[in-house]
Amino acid sequence: MMLGALFIFLVCCTTIPAHSRDGKNAAEIRRLVAFMEGQFTSLEHARDDSTIVPTLWYIDRIWWDRTDGAWLLWRSYPYIRDSTPAPEPSEVCVIQIHEIEHGLIEQAFWDVRTPFIGSTFDQDSSVVEQLRTKDALSKRRGCEIIYQIGADFYLGRTVGMACVPPKDMNAAALLATWRVRPMWIELLTQGINSVGDVVAGRRGKPVFFMRTDDARAGRQ
């Protein structure tokens, strides 16, 4: 499926001050981050649905010292054959989860200007420090996810038609819906035209990314 040119990445500590308060939803943000950290795969869903491109996600917490939200490194690996992911990620991004006005929880995406940075995170976690430098990241404006809080899940969506879709989608805007649970993440991405009709992407159910590292489930 494709998140395609969707999401991504962060802001440089040296140029943008990391000021923030805990906020009333600090505990919920910690729980959401705990649900999101880990390894997830859409391989099982793809076996039942040939329209899905099977993909492996690695989502790791980074920059624990920052006070302007929780920051996550997200790497996406397509499978080149059954159960074998590609050696290099097709997408690398940084996600910021923080509280905005009116106590809302926002998930923002920052594009990495030099995509290979972060792809070797498993071998050398210090590589993400390069993303702190000026102009290393570019915010994907309009693609922020705003979450509602459930008993054991978080449901988030883009707002309006400001998220620019990939050019090959031939759509006016990209809509994305995330449902994050302890053991899986559901993702629905759709391209719509100027009157709101779905013209690309998933027309039915979301893609299910199942957790593969059970030990992390529900960690707070």
Side-chain angles (χ1 to χ4, degrees), residues 46-115:
R47 287 170 175 161
D48 296 327
D49 186 340
S50 61
T51 67
I52 295 173
V53 177
T55 307
L56 176 67
W57 286 355
Y58 289 93
I59 303 177
D60 296 279
R61 182 81 182 267
I62 58 173
W63 298 327
W64 289 78
D65 59 309
R66 296 193 65 135
T67 59
D68 53 350
W71 295 86
L72 300 161
L73 179 67
W74 174 26
R75 293 168 294 151
S76 179
Y77 294 79
Y79 285 87
I80 52 179
R81 56 182 177 274
D82 192 49
S83 302
T84 304
E88 297 294 333
S90 59
E91 185 175 4
V92 180
C93 74
V94 170
I95 293 173
Q96 178 192 17
I97 298 177
H98 63 140
E99 185 173 292
I100 57 175
E101 61 270 15
H102 310 301
L104 298 174
I105 297 175
E106 179 186 86
Q107 176 175 311
F109 303 93
W110 297 79
D111 292 311
V112 171
R113 295 185 185 276
T114 308

Side-chain angles (χ1 to χ4, degrees), residues 13-203:
C13 262
T14 58
T15 59
I16 299 179
H19 45 239
S20 227
R21 58 196 183 286
D22 285 343
K24 66 178 183 180
N25 280 320
E28 293 293 348
I29 288 174
R30 287 194 297 271
R31 189 176 71 144
L32 173 58
V33 170
F35 286 3
M36 289 185 69
E37 281 187 275
Q39 300 172 21
F40 302 85
T41 180
S42 62
L43 184 60
E44 291 302 320
H45 195 180
R47 287 170 175 161
D48 296 327
D49 186 340
S50 61
T51 67
I52 295 173
V53 177
T55 307
L56 176 67
W57 286 355
Y58 289 93
I59 303 177
D60 296 279
R61 182 81 182 267
I62 58 173
W63 298 327
W64 289 78
D65 59 309
R66 296 193 65 135
T67 59
D68 53 350
W71 295 86
L72 300 161
L73 179 67
W74 174 26
R75 293 168 294 151
S76 179
Y77 294 79
Y79 285 87
I80 52 179
R81 56 182 177 274
D82 192 49
S83 302
T84 304
E88 297 294 333
S90 59
E91 185 175 4
V92 180
C93 74
V94 170
I95 293 173
Q96 178 192 17
I97 298 177
H98 63 140
E99 185 173 292
I100 57 175
E101 61 270 15
H102 310 301
L104 298 174
I105 297 175
E106 179 186 86
Q107 176 175 311
F109 303 93
W110 297 79
D111 292 311
V112 171
R113 295 185 185 276
T114 308
F116 75 86
I117 297 177
S119 63
T120 58
F121 178 79
D122 290 330
Q123 291 75 41
D124 180 7
S125 61
S126 69
V127 296
V128 296
E129 293 306 304
Q130 297 177 54
L131 298 178
R132 290 183 185 262
T133 60
K134 185 178 180 180
D135 298 327
L137 300 170
S138 174
K139 189 173 185 179
R140 184 170 287 274
R141 299 189 182 280
C143 297
E144 296 87 353
I145 302 293
I146 303 299
Y147 279 102
Q148 295 175 320
I149 302 169
D152 62 347
F153 69 91
Y154 295 84
L155 176 62
R157 296 186 177 93
T158 49
V159 178
M161 297 182 62
C163 188
V164 178
K167 291 182 179 180
D168 60 2
M169 193 172 257
N170 296 317
L174 184 71
L175 303 182
T177 301
W178 289 61
R179 187 186 295 267
V180 183
R181 296 181 180 274
M183 296 303 296
W184 72 84
I185 297 174
E186 302 167 32
L187 178 61
L188 176 64
T189 56
Q190 298 175 313
I192 60 172
N193 61 19
S194 59
V195 295
D197 297 326
V198 176
V199 295
R202 300 282 294 175
R203 296 176 182 272

